[in-house]
Amino acid sequence: MNKENEFLAKDFEFENLVKKARKRSIVKIVLISFVISLVVLFGLYFIGNRVMTTKMEKETSLDSTWNGVMGANIEERGTSFNYSLTSATAKTTLVKVVAGIPIPWGEQEKVFTILGTSRPISTTGPSGFGFSDDERIPMYYEGERVVEFFHPQVKYKQLFDDRKLLKVIDDNMVVEMAFSFDDGYSIEEVNEVFKEQLAWYWVDTFSKDQIENENKLNKVESFRDATIDGFHAYGFSYNRMAEAYSASNFISTLEKVKEDGGDYQEDAERIITNITNQGEIKLEPQNLKIIGVIVTGKPSDLIKFSEESMIRSATLGATINQY
């Protein structure tokens, strides 16, 4: 019996060795799993960060390109980037240049994530305050008046003419004013009249259907005339140093965005279709119809346009003391 018990007796030394080996194996598996997890996480983070950076570079470049054709007399003054662990924010500064003086015009912000998503986070825009029966409710942004345009083929209940304000604004100020025309004119015709104070051209990008719908709406008695504010007008800046290239740059921008324009591609296609009358005419500078302009200068500089027959409407924009 004693021999049998001795035969069945546990080998505690062997069991301890097995336990130690098992612990080492578990620790080894845990360490390997941890290292692999870190490698995978860092790999995914690196890929995600690369995707985010690539997307951010492309979209901010595209946004900048589109800002060159949308927004009346609005210019970019650089983009800054703020990075966090899983996202980045692009902030673009905008200005209006009135007779050579830059006026801050807000910022465009967009947030990008390592998941490959992006979204705009700027929520500010032009606004007006008043009552429904007011004759006019001016729009304001950044404490300044926002220019408004009137399409020459749309019949509005009322047209604004702020040229009378030029007589009461101090001549130490410089002002921005939007002129809407009674018809579409060539670039040469516009330059002949406004060249000295010209800052920006408003291009006719409307379709016949759009004009027809606007006219139908304006026949509704309860409908307040919908003007085109400066944020949503399409056109291009007057470049005194490279006058011949301004319209060509506008056209090349539209063509570029039409080919690979992301969120703006459909807009570019629509504008090109409307300008060319669905391909009946070529997309060339001489075929652009200019239906309005932005002019800037001292009130005394702009008063000379008070009797200009091609001007259908005039609205005041941003103003600033030139000193």
Side-chain angles (χ1 to χ4, degrees):
M1 191 71 179
N2 290 336
K3 289 182 179 180
E4 186 177 347
N5 289 340
E6 286 178 5
F7 178 77
L8 295 175
K10 293 182 178 180
D11 190 338
F12 291 105
E13 186 176 347
F14 177 74
E15 285 187 0
N16 288 334
L17 289 174
V18 170
K19 287 179 181 180
K20 288 180 180 179
R22 188 178 298 167
K23 286 181 180 179
R24 290 195 199 99
S25 178
I26 292 173
V27 170
K28 188 176 181 180
I29 291 172
V30 169
L31 287 174
I32 292 173
S33 300
F34 179 72
V35 171
I36 292 174
S37 298
L38 284 178
V39 171
V40 171
L41 286 174
F42 276 110
L44 290 174
Y45 178 79
F46 176 79
I47 294 172
N49 190 67
R50 184 59 186 167
V51 168
M52 179 185 73
T53 302
T54 302
K55 184 179 180 65
M56 184 165 57
E57 290 174 352
K58 181 178 180 179
E59 286 198 14
T60 52
S61 175
L62 186 57
D63 290 341
S64 179
T65 300
W66 195 245
N67 283 338
V69 299
M70 184 177 184
N73 195 31
I74 300 173
E75 299 180 8
E76 285 192 9
R77 286 298 168 92
T79 300
S80 61
F81 301 94
N82 184 25
Y83 293 87
S84 67
L85 187 62
T86 59
S87 65
T89 302
K91 183 183 293 185
T92 301
T93 301
L94 304 175
V95 301
K96 274 183 173 287
V97 179
V98 178
I101 301 175
I103 299 177
W105 206 246
E107 296 172 332
Q108 289 179 342
E109 290 186 73
K110 186 178 274 190
V111 63
F112 300 84
T113 72
I114 60 173
L115 298 177
T117 62
S118 65
R119 60 183 175 84
I121 56 177
S122 298
T123 57
T124 58
S127 61
F129 301 94
F131 300 94
S132 59
D133 58 350
D134 286 348
E135 183 177 355
R136 182 183 181 187
I137 301 177
M139 304 292 286
Y140 287 88
Y141 182 73
E142 295 289 311
E144 299 287 346
R145 287 277 282 268
V146 174
V147 293
E148 299 174 73
F149 291 100
F150 296 79
H151 194 281
Q153 295 177 30
V154 176
K155 296 179 180 178
Y156 299 91
K157 296 184 182 69
Q158 62 173 340
L159 296 169
F160 307 147
D161 192 346
D162 289 340
R163 284 176 290 182
K164 59 183 180 292
L165 298 178
L166 296 174
K167 297 178 181 179
V168 298
I169 298 175
D170 192 287
D171 215 39
N172 287 324
M173 305 289 288
V174 288
V175 305
E176 171 193 52
M177 187 162 281
F179 293 150
S180 299
F181 297 156
D182 60 353
D183 201 355
Y185 294 88
S186 69
I187 295 172
E188 290 74 19
E189 289 173 314
V190 172
N191 287 351
E192 187 176 343
V193 178
F194 301 100
K195 187 173 181 178
E196 294 303 318
Q197 266 67 50
L198 191 55
W200 188 84
Y201 304 87
W202 181 34
V203 179
D204 188 1
T205 60
F206 283 66
S207 68
K208 293 179 180 178
D209 288 340
Q210 283 178 282
I211 294 169
E212 185 178 339
N213 289 334
E214 289 291 322
N215 280 319
K216 285 181 180 178
L217 284 172
N218 287 326
K219 290 180 180 179
V220 179
E221 190 172 340
S222 59
F223 178 76
R224 179 182 288 274
D225 288 336
T227 59
I228 297 91
D229 68 65
F231 283 87
H232 299 99
Y234 294 97
F236 56 95
S237 298
Y238 172 69
N239 188 333
R240 196 176 301 274
M241 301 301 295
E243 184 179 327
Y245 298 104
S246 297
S248 298
N249 288 340
F250 173 77
I251 289 171
S252 63
T253 296
L254 291 176
E255 291 176 330
K256 176 183 177 182
V257 177
K258 180 185 177 182
E259 293 302 317
D260 184 20
D263 294 338
Y264 305 115
Q265 190 165 5
E266 289 186 8
D267 290 332
E269 291 175 353
R270 171 180 54 80
I271 290 171
I272 291 175
T273 298
N274 294 344
I275 291 176
T276 62
N277 196 18
Q278 298 188 353
E280 291 184 5
I281 60 175
K282 292 183 178 180
L283 185 62
E284 296 176 341
Q286 58 266 31
N287 291 330
L288 297 178
K289 293 181 179 179
I290 308 302
I291 54 177
V293 292
I294 296 284
V295 294
T296 66
K298 297 191 296 183
S300 59
D301 295 329
L302 306 186
I303 284 177
K304 63 185 177 184
F305 302 121
S306 295
E307 304 300 326
E308 179 54 52
S309 60
M310 65 194 293
I311 297 175
R312 186 186 184 202
S313 174
T315 59
L316 184 67
T319 63
I320 190 171
N321 194 312
Q322 62 178 322
Y323 303 114

